[in-house]
Amino acid sequence: MDQKEIEETRARFSMSGGANTFKNDGVKGDGGGGRIGVSKELDSGDRVSAGISGMASKVNVDTPDGEKTFKQKKITGVDASYSKGDTTYGVSAARQPMMDGKIDKKINFSFTKSFAKGGAVTKQTKKVAKVMGEFKEGTLHSGKGGKVVKSPKQAIAIALSEAKVKAKKK
């Protein structure tokens, strides 16, 4: 492989993560998690990326038989995305860490589409900002000639409706 071929196949490698340490009565430990990813810009200017995330923990517990150490290393998720212009399409599959330090057996899948700037998103954002400004000033009405809206939840519902945005379900 010559230098030109190496330059053409070069991709960007990234790592991110965090860690914490804790200490309670008879229990102490540390843990951390992170993501390792790679991304590549294509000749067309589009970008593809993929990553893997995981976690590791070590917990020391005082027991009647002495101190015991529990260690755990798990892969918790994978993701991939494709960016074309200002729009990014992504897919991920992940298992969530639970409060007891174990990993949930259920796998959560998500598909995303996001915009960096421009177009309809800007118009929607401006519309929501306008309606919420009316609410803050006390001039937002529940309909033509309706009562003044006093509930923030109702104001958000009106703003999303006028901007033609579907509210995310919990």
Side-chain angles (χ1 to χ4, degrees):
M1 191 181 271
D2 65 9
Q3 184 64 31
K4 185 178 180 208
E5 290 174 315
I6 292 171
E7 289 296 321
E8 288 175 357
T9 59
R10 194 168 281 171
R12 192 172 136 233
F13 178 75
S14 63
M15 289 178 23
S16 62
N20 63 14
T21 301
F22 59 90
K23 188 174 184 178
N24 280 330
D25 295 331
V27 180
K28 61 184 176 187
D30 55 79
R35 179 184 181 277
I36 298 173
V38 63
S39 64
K40 171 78 174 145
E41 188 164 331
L42 306 175
D43 292 337
S44 62
D46 299 351
R47 178 172 292 279
V48 292
S49 66
I52 188 165
S53 53
M55 51 109 26
S57 64
K58 177 179 147 186
V59 178
N60 297 322
V61 180
D62 290 335
T63 67
D65 299 329
E67 188 174 275
K68 295 208 180 216
T69 301
F70 300 93
K71 294 181 181 179
Q72 177 173 278
K73 294 179 183 174
K74 301 268 183 182
I75 292 175
T76 57
V78 294
D79 63 82
S81 66
Y82 170 74
S83 299
K84 182 175 183 73
D86 293 336
T87 307
T88 300
Y89 304 90
V91 61
S92 66
R95 294 178 7 194
Q96 298 300 317
M98 298 185 332
M99 295 300 290
D100 60 4
K102 295 180 181 174
I103 303 294
D104 192 354
K105 291 185 186 337
K106 182 174 75 175
I107 297 174
N108 298 315
F109 291 97
S110 66
F111 303 93
T112 58
K113 180 178 178 182
S114 60
F115 305 92
K117 60 183 177 183
V121 174
T122 302
K123 289 177 186 175
Q124 290 170 337
T125 304
K126 286 179 181 177
K127 187 65 172 179
V128 169
K130 178 183 171 283
V131 172
M132 294 308 290
E134 289 177 19
F135 171 70
K136 186 175 179 183
E137 293 169 2
T139 58
L140 178 63
H141 294 270
S142 59
K144 270 194 172 179
K147 293 181 179 179
V148 173
V149 174
K150 295 186 180 180
S151 165
K153 285 184 179 181
Q154 187 179 5
I156 292 168
I158 292 169
L160 293 177
S161 174
E162 286 192 19
K164 296 183 172 86
V165 176
K166 290 184 180 177
K168 290 185 178 181
K169 293 185 179 181
K170 292 182 180 179

